[in-house]
Amino acid sequence: MAQVASDVLPDAPETNVLETNVPAPGVSASKRGLITASVMLATIIQALDTTIANVALPHMQGSMSATQDQISWVLTSYIVAAAIFLPLTGFLSDRFGRKRLMLWSIAGFTITSMLCGAAQNLPQVVIFRLLQGIFGAALVPLSQSILLDTYPKEKHSQAMAVWGMGVVLGPILGPTLGGLLTEHYSWRWVFYINVPLGILALLGVMAAVTETAINKARHFDLMGFAFLSLGIGALQMMLDRGESQNWFNSPEIVIECILMGLGFYWFISHIFTYKQPFIEPAIFKDRNFSIGLIFMFVVGIILLATMALLPPFLQNLLGYPVVDVGLVMAPRGMGVMLSMMIVGKIAGKIDPRLQVGFGLILTVISLWEMTLFNTNISSWDIVRTSVVQGVGLGFIFVPLSAIAFASLEGRFRNEGTALFSLTRNIGSSIGISVVMAELQQNIQRNHASFADYITPYNQALAKVGESGHWDIATTTGLVAINNEVQRQAATLAYLQDFQLMMWVTVAALPLLLLLRKPQPGGAPVNVAAD
């Protein structure tokens, strides 16, 4: 087995390459607390930025006199850059050291956040957002990897509960925080808010996190990275711009689809034929980890797709102001926090597969209740279903994160956490694109179906029209009827999307049968010789 090169960082122990991610013994409780707080700050600022800027887009558009298509690049540049550079986390951690990579990432993310807030025109914002995505890509997987190595095996569930709060709460609280900052200050503060948090995270990581050994022998698989980047980049571009470009009626989307297929085909062929591939296929031999990736894909769909649907539903159909939308959706985060605290307490006492199953059932129930929404529902109905869904997501996220890494070899941990985050992000992108495309198409279908009943022979309509407001014989009456038909068609379309996500969650339930129960105290990390 190859030995680590001698020119490692001063505080990096000279250990076997395959043992670089084995947790160092004897971490004190105070140091562990500082490590947890520091990496969680880094996780939160990155997770917040996936949704916090969405609320500020209309204000940015007006400030910079940009079109809708132009301002969308503020989101697209960040998402595509983060997706492409996320798989690099494992290689960069091994090649330069995990602590050093974490420090670079936090510093770069903080600086580019400040530059985004200070940008004077749209090209500057897009460039700085692209750089922000590059630097922020590694923050979430690195945080997960550091926490897994900081806590002993028997406390991995507690560690994942803390980590999961940042990952899940960030996107949930993003619209609320973004709306408040934009309303009371300006859109620039959705970026400036990262600066003090980033500085605190940087100081904490510098003081508490221990550097891992450096593997100078690991070579960079440029072709593998290029193929994967092509596939992921084309996929993200297609998903992000598909709706605005009318999907496959646009040559741009067709080209991106072809490039996506070629990129993934070349990448899969490459990793099975290259001697030292960018991502080793052996990582997928761990059944729990592979099934965990599928579950995380489903979690990604549910987590952000619901959040993409509820704000326009509340604003456009129920007439909620932007700030009120954020306040109504915020209790969802309380449900996540509650469930994650419970999961942390019962870790090791209840089979994690049962916890994941319970979370899926709660999520199905909440989505089923959302299919019963109408235009007369109260704020309490929204809050109640959101809290139930938040509790369900917490029961899925934490035990799933623990069980997926319970038996994964230590040498794969950095790549594993990166793939975990990448799968969740792709699930979120696909979920948002699918539900938004379905929403628009279903609105048109529903409108056409409802319009079939608007005839002079409809007795119920004629009776209502006697008041004059919905008189089919007048132009004013026809406009009023059409507005109501459009409103009801849109309402039904939202319910159909909620139903779609409900069936996706139901379809994931049988995968529980494929998960293995972790050994008591956690299975030992396999660091056997080649």
Side-chain angles (χ1 to χ4, degrees):
M1 187 185 297
Q3 296 295 319
V4 177
S6 58
D7 54 343
V8 296
L9 293 174
D11 56 347
E14 193 167 321
T15 61
N16 190 288
V17 171
L18 297 187
E19 298 174 347
T20 56
N21 294 318
V22 176
V27 178
S28 65
S30 59
K31 185 175 181 181
R32 185 179 295 155
L34 180 57
I35 292 173
T36 303
S38 302
V39 300
M40 285 315 303
L41 277 176
T43 299
I44 288 170
I45 60 175
Q46 198 279 339
L48 272 175
D49 267 61
T50 59
T51 57
I52 194 173
N54 298 25
V55 182
L57 282 186
H59 297 265
M60 297 173 67
Q61 183 178 353
S63 173
M64 298 180 178
S65 302
T67 65
Q68 183 66 41
D69 189 59
Q70 289 172 335
I71 203 67
S72 68
W73 282 100
V74 174
L75 300 180
T76 302
S77 59
Y78 179 85
I79 293 171
V80 173
I84 290 175
F85 282 84
L86 185 56
L88 269 176
T89 304
F91 168 78
L92 294 175
S93 297
D94 287 349
R95 194 67 176 79
F96 300 103
R98 189 169 59 191
K99 177 179 179 179
R100 182 176 292 169
L101 177 61
M102 188 72 170
L103 292 174
W104 286 348
S105 299
I106 295 173
F109 189 84
T110 305
I111 293 171
T112 51
S113 296
M114 183 171 60
L115 292 174
C116 286
Q120 298 301 307
N121 52 55
L122 184 61
Q124 289 181 6
V125 176
V126 172
I127 292 172
F128 295 145
R129 280 285 280 177
L130 186 142
L131 293 174
Q132 190 185 35
I134 292 174
F135 283 110
L139 289 177
V140 172
L142 285 178
S143 300
Q144 185 180 18
S145 180
I146 289 171
L147 287 178
L148 286 171
D149 286 352
T150 301
Y151 285 78
K153 283 281 185 178
E154 61 272 13
K155 293 187 176 181
H156 274 187
S157 291
Q158 291 93 321
M160 291 300 95
V162 176
W163 176 77
M165 284 187 190
V167 174
V168 178
L169 285 178
I172 292 174
L173 297 179
T176 305
L177 182 59
L180 292 173
L181 289 173
T182 305
E183 185 77 18
H184 296 290
Y185 298 96
S186 75
W187 63 264
R188 299 182 185 276
W189 279 95
V190 302
F191 301 111
Y192 286 149
I193 191 67
N194 293 331
V195 176
L197 298 179
I199 292 173
L200 289 175
L202 187 71
L203 295 175
V205 170
M206 290 176 63
V209 175
T210 302
E211 184 60 279
T212 56
I214 297 175
N215 179 9
K216 291 288 187 181
R218 182 168 180 179
H219 298 286
F220 181 55
D221 177 15
L222 179 60
M223 291 299 292
F225 174 67
F227 292 149
L228 183 60
S229 298
L230 176 64
I232 292 175
L235 172 63
Q236 290 286 0
M237 287 287 291
M238 182 181 73
L239 293 173
D240 194 62
R241 292 180 55 78
E243 186 63 32
S244 64
Q245 301 301 312
N246 199 19
W247 289 102
F248 292 101
N249 292 318
S250 166
E252 175 192 336
I253 302 302
V254 173
I255 292 172
E256 288 164 356
C257 184
I258 294 172
L259 291 176
M260 175 198 69
L262 289 174
F264 284 129
Y265 172 75
W266 288 334
F267 174 72
I268 294 172
S269 301
H270 180 78
I271 64 173
F272 282 105
T273 55
Y274 193 63
K275 188 175 181 180
Q276 293 181 319
F278 182 64
I279 295 177
E280 293 186 45
I283 193 174
F284 301 107
K285 290 182 179 179
D286 189 291
R287 191 166 78 183
N288 275 7
F289 176 74
S290 297
I291 300 300
L293 289 179
I294 300 175
F295 268 119
M296 195 51 61
F297 179 83
V298 175
V299 170
I301 293 175
I302 301 167
L303 178 62
L304 289 186
T306 307
M307 294 186 60
L309 289 171
L310 279 177
F313 177 78
L314 295 174
Q315 288 179 261
N316 300 336
L317 296 179
L318 303 187
Y320 278 61
V322 175
V323 175
D324 288 353
V325 170
L327 294 176
V328 169
M329 293 183 63
R332 191 180 190 214
M334 295 172 59
V336 173
M337 292 183 64
L338 175 64
S339 62
M340 289 187 173
M341 288 188 290
I342 294 173
V343 170
K345 294 292 183 181
I346 64 176
K349 301 175 184 177
I350 299 178
D351 189 334
R353 295 173 299 179
L354 295 178
Q355 298 176 40
V356 174
F358 178 68
L360 287 171
I361 291 171
L362 284 180
T363 305
V364 169
I365 291 173
S366 69
L367 289 169
W368 173 74
E369 288 190 311
M370 288 180 176
T371 64
L372 305 177
F373 281 176
N374 56 57
T375 52
N376 296 318
I377 57 171
S378 65
S379 299
W380 167 245
D381 294 318
I382 302 290
V383 170
R384 177 174 50 80
T385 53
S386 296
V387 169
V388 172
Q389 189 173 116
V391 172
L393 287 173
F395 270 96
I396 298 171
F397 204 90
V398 177
L400 181 62
S401 300
I403 199 173
F405 291 92
S407 56
L408 188 68
E409 293 184 36
R411 65 193 178 107
F412 291 135
R413 184 160 291 163
N414 288 328
E415 285 87 350
T417 53
L419 287 173
F420 224 54
S421 295
L422 178 63
T423 305
R424 187 184 68 254
N425 291 346
I426 291 177
S428 299
S429 297
I430 291 177
I432 291 173
S433 297
V434 169
V435 298
M436 286 304 178
E438 281 293 300
L439 180 67
Q440 296 304 320
Q441 292 177 12
N442 284 333
I443 288 175
Q444 296 176 13
R445 295 191 195 105
N446 296 338
H447 190 282
S449 298
F450 293 163
D452 289 341
Y453 295 93
I454 310 301
T455 70
Y457 309 105
N458 188 324
Q459 297 299 318
L461 181 62
K463 189 172 183 179
V464 175
E466 292 175 358
S467 63
H469 182 62
W470 279 5
D471 187 355
I472 197 171
T474 66
T475 303
T476 304
L478 283 174
V479 170
I481 292 172
N482 182 69
N483 290 340
E484 184 60 25
V485 167
Q486 181 69 14
R487 181 167 171 260
Q488 295 301 328
T491 302
L492 180 58
Y494 279 104
L495 305 190
Q496 289 167 332
D497 267 357
F498 294 139
Q499 186 179 61
L500 173 63
M501 289 190 289
M502 180 188 75
W503 287 119
V504 169
T505 310
V506 170
L509 277 166
L511 293 174
L512 287 171
L513 302 175
L514 300 178
L515 290 172
R516 291 192 181 101
K517 182 180 179 180
Q519 299 176 13
V525 178
N526 183 3
V527 288
D530 294 335

